[in-house]
Amino acid sequence: VVVGNEGVILYTSDGGKNWQQGLAPLNDVVNKLLDVKAYANGEAWAVGAFGTLLFSSDYGQSWAYAREPEDFIINEIVKRDDGGLVAVGEFGTILISENVGADWLSVAAPVESSLMAIDFQSTAIGVAAGLEGVLLKTEDGG
């Protein structure tokens, strides 16, 4: 699965030989997608401008909003080993879901700078990097 500007989502089921366009909802403001992750059993997540957070259960063929769009950018989303989801973005945004995206908790970051990337070594240990050399480390999963 790949994503891009104008809400473009493409998926392949043959290792990249052929690509089809996924069906994703579009908003009235901006439809720039910045990151996508695909996992087992058809699960995929995409994030982008205007707080876009999309979910697919069929490896990217069809998509739905996992939360209502807001006026900020989400730059990356990852799934921890325990199944929890963490997304980071503009203005130090950190969003966490412990129930496969049904609910999202906004966590106050100790920075106001945009967070660009996040990864977890384990369920409890993760790092986030952002603009201006910002680096956050968690040892409790949140």
Side-chain angles (χ1 to χ4, degrees), residues 2-74:
V2 296
V3 298
N5 290 339
E6 299 180 26
V8 170
I9 298 179
L10 302 175
Y11 66 93
T12 181
S13 57
D14 60 10
K17 291 180 184 176
N18 297 290
W19 293 85
Q20 289 89 27
Q21 181 137 6
L23 301 173
L26 300 175
N27 63 59
D28 295 335
V29 181
V30 64
N31 293 287
K32 183 176 190 174
L33 298 172
L34 301 169
D35 184 48
V36 64
K37 300 289 189 319
Y39 299 99
N41 301 320
E43 180 183 3
W45 296 89
V47 296
F50 206 63
T52 299
L53 207 158
L54 301 174
F55 171 73
S56 173
S57 61
D58 55 13
Y59 292 110
Q61 294 179 41
S62 60
W63 295 82
Y65 283 113
R67 66 188 302 270
E68 289 298 314
E70 291 183 54
D71 192 12
F72 65 92
I73 297 170
I74 302 175

Side-chain angles (χ1 to χ4, degrees), residues 4 14 49-50 52 56 67 76 80 96 99 129-130 137 139:
D14 60 10
F50 206 63
T52 299
S56 173
R67 66 188 302 270
E76 187 173 29
R80 297 185 318 233
I96 298 175
N99 56 7
K137 180 179 177 187
E139 293 187 11

Side-chain angles (χ1 to χ4, degrees), residues 89-110:
E90 193 173 36
F91 312 122
T93 297
I94 301 173
L95 300 172
I96 298 175
S97 177
E98 301 293 353
N99 56 7
V100 196
D103 298 297
W104 293 89
L105 174 66
S106 180
V107 176

